Amino acid sequence: MKQISAEDIVMNLVCNGGDCRSKALQAIRTARAGNIAEAETLLEEAQKSLQAAHHFQTDLIQGEMQEDGEPVEVRLLMVHGQDHLMDAMVVSDLAYEMVELCKELQALKNQ
């Protein structure tokens, strides 16, 4: 089995982190439009992408960023990947809270 390169891991951080962030923001917009069920589905999809990104981050950390037994130099791309992951985590957390607020507002309107 071929070992995944540090660069591939970082690209997965960027892609999955970006996907999480996009779906989380889409969930907020969808909840604001009143479609709570769809917003919750988008949050679940965002969470899956976040978990995938976190898995790759864990691989990067546990491997102590080594490739072929040699330490890998920390590059701007790696920092960029970590930024994407952190951004996704924050947006995901806020999206959950905002969807809950939209649910509460919708319940108040229906009273």
Side-chain angles (χ1 to χ4, degrees), residues 11-30:
M11 290 309 297
N12 274 286
L13 287 178
V14 171
C15 292
N16 285 300
D19 188 57
C20 172
R21 182 182 183 279
S22 294
K23 284 190 165 102
L25 289 172
Q26 189 177 357
I28 293 168
R29 291 182 195 108
T30 301

Side-chain angles (χ1 to χ4, degrees), residues 20-83:
C20 172
R21 182 182 183 279
S22 294
K23 284 190 165 102
L25 289 172
Q26 189 177 357
I28 293 168
R29 291 182 195 108
T30 301
R32 286 180 60 210
N35 192 340
I36 302 300
E38 185 180 341
E40 288 176 332
T41 298
L42 286 163
L43 287 176
E44 289 171 11
E45 292 173 9
Q47 189 62 33
K48 287 178 186 174
S49 294
L50 186 60
Q51 287 171 348
H54 191 261
H55 170 78
F56 283 104
Q57 181 193 40
T58 300
D59 285 351
L60 194 62
I61 293 168
Q62 286 179 344
E64 295 184 29
M65 295 175 31
Q66 291 191 5
E67 224 170 3
D68 299 325
E70 296 295 320
V72 174
E73 177 184 340
V74 175
R75 299 180 186 111
L76 181 58
L77 182 60
M78 290 181 185
V79 174
H80 182 62
Q82 292 288 33
D83 284 346

